[in-house]
Amino acid sequence: MSSPQTSTHGASGSPPYRPVPHLQAAIDSGVPAGSTTFTTLVIVPGLGWQAGVFKRLLPFAQAFNVRIIVVNRCDYPGSLPHSPKELEKLVRLAELPTTPEVLAQAMELMSEHGQDVYDFLLDFVCRETVIASMPEENSGGIILVGWSLGGISVLSLLAKTDHTLLNRFLWRIILYDSLCLLFGYPRPPDWYHPMTDESVPLTDRPALFDAFLANYFTHGDLWTVRPSALELHGPKPGGERADLNTRACPARVGGSDNLMVRACATHNVWGSLKDSVLYSPMGSGKEEWGAVEVRLVWCNRSIWEIIWGTYLLDEELTEEKNEGRIARDVEFVCLEGANHFVSISSSNLCYFLSPEEGSIWIGA
């Protein structure tokens, strides 16, 4: 094995000019003692949840030879807040009808999300010890994970064209339990979501949503019987609840995440973003990103939005490739028996670090 390269001064060996990143590491497990081949695992949490939801993984970092960094997005504790001007833009985009100009502005918003992640990673590589990636040995480098809504930050990074300074380090991106909405797919017939349940007072819906997410659902084989396989309704009694102290306010009505979801859903921004990442033409400046592995990790007992989105993405990629269209390879890893919050109750990091796609049994 060749001696791994490290960086404490950026990919070029000297610190390039870089802005102060908007995003900050809220959790850091530290470098595994004595390791010269460790992987830096950077995790971006989702809607309404901050970094603390992943704190139970920290005791296992040494055994898995990883340094775990959990990054809070803007408006979450430790990271910079959105400016009044940015919030005003979110409000406007959430309320305007779709036009080419409005869609372009919303796509620019996603570009800014990608830039935030890029700035954080570049700053981290410049300041910290990061091992150059060794994908053939499944070690070193950076693996970037976007959990739930955090997947949007990850996709937005992949849509960037200026990435030269990260090429030696970033080698795998993981979309962890991503919802169908994040790929721009329509919901199935008769879908249910607590946040749109008009029989429940608006102020009570977040708690109902938390219970809904924390449950273990039993879905059928979607690849055989399609939407009728989904267990759409709930919540049912049971399911481990996440620590509510890890909740944060950007998901509230009128919060920045709430406004972003409304704006992007209204204008189908995320469908356009997904297409940009999966079908980017040669000559777009993203060719070197093509070497970055993309893995979709999904939990088969999560809410229907996860299962439906996974199924439709798999079907889309299969159909496009059968028709000869060039599309990015996406690995699919199923965590059998796991729900949306497996990361807060399991010591298993293998689904992020395993060199192979397929199924891994976690168990409820």
Side-chain angles (χ1 to χ4, degrees):
M1 183 177 85
S2 60
S3 298
Q5 296 176 302
T6 63
S7 173
T8 56
H9 298 293
S12 64
S14 60
Y17 169 77
R18 59 192 189 280
V20 175
H22 291 176
L23 311 186
Q24 296 293 324
I27 289 178
D28 182 355
S29 68
V31 173
S35 176
T36 59
T37 61
F38 68 90
T39 297
T40 301
L41 187 68
V42 179
I43 304 174
V44 184
L47 175 68
W49 297 94
Q50 56 173 297
V53 79
F54 286 94
K55 64 185 178 183
R56 295 187 195 178
L57 292 180
L58 299 186
F60 308 101
Q62 179 76 32
F64 282 91
N65 196 30
V66 294
R67 180 180 185 178
I68 299 172
I69 304 291
V70 189
V71 180
N72 275 338
R73 293 180 292 112
C74 287
D75 274 358
Y76 288 81
S79 292
L80 295 182
H82 286 287
S83 68
K85 184 178 180 180
E86 289 169 333
L87 288 174
E88 180 183 340
K89 180 179 180 180
L90 283 169
V91 170
R92 182 168 50 80
L93 289 174
E95 296 176 349
L96 287 173
T98 302
T99 65
E101 181 181 1
V102 170
L103 178 58
Q105 292 175 14
M107 288 295 289
E108 181 183 355
L109 179 69
M110 290 297 96
S111 178
E112 292 167 0
H113 274 257
Q115 187 66 47
D116 284 345
V117 178
Y118 182 85
D119 290 343
F120 170 81
L121 292 176
L122 179 58
D123 182 74
F124 188 86
V125 164
C126 289
R127 290 186 299 101
E128 301 285 341
T129 298
V130 181
I131 307 298
S133 63
M134 298 175 281
E136 67 284 353
E137 298 172 20
N138 203 54
S139 64
I142 296 172
I143 294 178
L144 177 64
V145 181
W147 174 51
S148 198
L149 186 68
I152 286 305
S153 296
V154 169
L155 284 175
S156 298
L157 175 68
L158 272 184
K160 276 184 58 61
T161 58
D162 179 15
H163 46 71
T164 307
L165 294 174
L166 292 178
N167 286 344
R168 287 174 46 216
F169 301 100
L170 184 63
W171 64 280
R172 177 181 292 165
I173 278 179
I174 295 175
L175 299 168
Y176 177 31
D177 239 21
S178 296
L179 290 72
C180 59
L181 188 66
L182 272 59
F183 300 130
Y185 296 135
R187 297 179 172 101
D190 303 319
W191 61 275
Y192 169 80
H193 197 288
M195 294 302 290
T196 59
D197 189 339
E198 295 187 359
S199 69
V200 178
L202 193 62
T203 54
D204 295 341
R205 293 179 193 177
L208 184 61
F209 180 47
D210 292 341
F212 192 69
L213 282 177
N215 268 279
Y216 287 83
F217 294 86
T218 302
H219 306 284
D221 184 357
L222 198 62
W223 282 258
T224 301
V225 293
R226 293 181 61 80
S228 61
L230 293 171
E231 183 178 1
L232 296 171
H233 296 275
K236 298 183 176 67
E240 181 175 351
R241 302 296 173 89
D243 179 2
L244 292 182
N245 290 326
T246 63
R247 287 288 263 153
C249 62
R252 74 186 189 281
V253 176
S256 56
D257 267 0
N258 175 270
L259 291 169
M260 180 181 69
V261 170
R262 285 173 52 197
C264 292
T266 297
H267 308 302
N268 195 25
V269 172
W270 290 333
S272 299
L273 181 66
K274 179 260 299 176
D275 289 345
S276 170
V277 169
L278 293 182
Y279 308 113
S280 178
M282 297 299 290
S284 66
K286 303 177 193 171
E287 292 90 337
E288 293 186 30
W289 271 153
V292 177
E293 297 177 13
V294 176
R295 174 174 295 184
L296 188 145
V297 175
W298 61 289
C299 304
N300 75 336
R301 298 199 64 185
S302 285
I303 56 175
W304 61 265
E305 292 179 278
I306 309 299
I307 316 304
W308 184 237
T310 300
Y311 164 73
L312 291 178
L313 182 62
D314 184 41
E315 290 287 289
E316 176 182 346
L317 288 171
T318 299
E319 180 179 342
E320 295 292 341
K321 289 180 179 179
N322 286 342
E323 294 181 358
R325 189 176 182 188
I326 297 175
R328 177 185 287 275
D329 288 329
V330 178
E331 300 175 352
F332 288 80
V333 175
C334 175
L335 306 189
E336 296 186 15
N339 80 338
H340 198 57
F341 283 110
V342 66
S343 57
I344 67 168
S345 58
S346 170
S347 64
N348 265 299
L349 289 166
C350 56
Y351 43 89
F352 295 152
L353 303 171
S354 169
E356 298 178 354
E357 60 184 320
S359 295
I360 300 172
W361 173 255
I362 298 296

